[in-house]
Amino acid sequence: NLVVEHKAIWQQFVKSGKVKWHVLSMMPFEVLTLAFPTLCPLWRLQTWSLFRLNKLLRVIEMPSLIRSVESSLAKVGVKVPKNPLKVVKLLLVILLLAHINSCVFFAIANFNQHANSGDLNAQHNWANAEGLVGPSPTCPGKIVSLEVVGEQYTAGLYWAMATISTAGYGDITADLNSLQEVLYSTLILIVG
């Protein structure tokens, strides 16, 4: 039965239990970055993007969405094989986790680079060691080309996949002088 009355739709939505995830995902946590007026405007944008991670809570709905697609396909006579579907779901989860981990790992390195700009001896991070960030970024900074961002993202994703899969080739590693990078890498090795 198709429900078209607004009140009935809201009641069904509340009963489903999804309302809490939607409320959390729409909260404007990025407004908290306004509490850091001393940060470079460019850095404020990066901090702002971290505070927007709550938007990923919508991913929680993916299993129910996939189940509804499967049931809709079954109603019209299309049978979806379970094993390939499970493999695709697993790959999507791994890619999502690798993406999140690569972005956080690069954000840690970039924070170290910006926090220690002007002191080349204090810029200890994996991205600097790989030559992926400038030695002394200035505020507000230069526009970074898409090619450079692609290299940074690819290197971070490579690190994340190697770490999550516990292959850990060792060519991109946390800088031992950066406590944040070492702790995050250790956490990912344990959880991954």
Side-chain angles (χ1 to χ4, degrees):
N1 295 330
L2 182 62
V3 180
V4 292
E5 185 184 327
H6 292 295
K7 189 173 182 180
I9 292 172
W10 176 252
Q11 289 172 346
Q12 185 72 21
F13 182 58
V14 171
K15 270 194 234 175
S16 72
K18 296 177 185 176
V19 71
K20 62 184 170 195
W21 301 115
H22 280 269
V23 169
L24 282 173
S25 69
M26 69 179 215
M27 297 297 286
F29 291 120
E30 57 268 22
V31 174
L32 295 174
T33 59
L34 298 175
F36 305 109
T38 58
L39 290 176
C40 165
L42 180 68
W43 220 151
R44 200 176 297 152
L45 286 175
Q46 285 196 339
T47 307
W48 179 74
S49 64
L50 290 176
F51 280 105
R52 295 184 71 220
L53 284 175
N54 63 317
K55 308 299 185 232
L56 286 176
L57 288 173
R58 294 180 183 156
V59 173
I60 292 171
E61 291 184 6
M62 287 303 292
S64 66
L65 178 66
I66 291 172
R67 278 192 299 275
S68 69
V69 168
E70 286 175 351
S71 68
S72 297
L73 288 173
K75 285 179 186 176
V76 294
V78 177
K79 187 169 183 176
V80 180
K82 293 290 182 191
N83 288 337
L85 190 63
K86 286 181 181 180
V87 170
V88 169
K89 288 179 191 177
L90 178 64
L91 287 175
L92 287 174
V93 167
I94 290 171
L95 287 174
L96 177 67
L97 292 175
H99 167 73
I100 292 169
N101 288 326
S102 68
C103 290
V104 170
F105 195 56
F106 185 77
I108 291 170
N110 206 19
F111 177 74
N112 175 284
Q113 195 76 2
H114 281 275
N116 297 309
S117 77
D119 185 3
L120 295 177
N121 294 326
Q123 293 177 336
H124 300 290
N125 58 71
W126 72 272
N128 193 20
E130 294 294 320
L132 295 172
V133 289
S136 185
T138 57
C139 188
K142 295 183 268 180
I143 296 175
V144 181
S145 73
L146 193 57
E147 184 179 327
V148 171
V149 172
E151 289 176 16
Q152 293 168 340
Y153 179 74
T154 304
L157 189 63
Y158 171 76
W159 169 85
M161 289 301 290
T163 305
I164 289 172
S165 67
T166 65
Y169 297 115
D171 49 353
I172 297 178
T173 60
D175 192 303
L176 295 178
N177 294 316
S178 172
L179 180 64
Q180 298 91 350
E181 285 184 16
V182 171
L183 290 176
Y184 187 72
S185 296
T186 304
L187 175 72
I188 298 306
L189 281 169
I190 292 170
V191 175

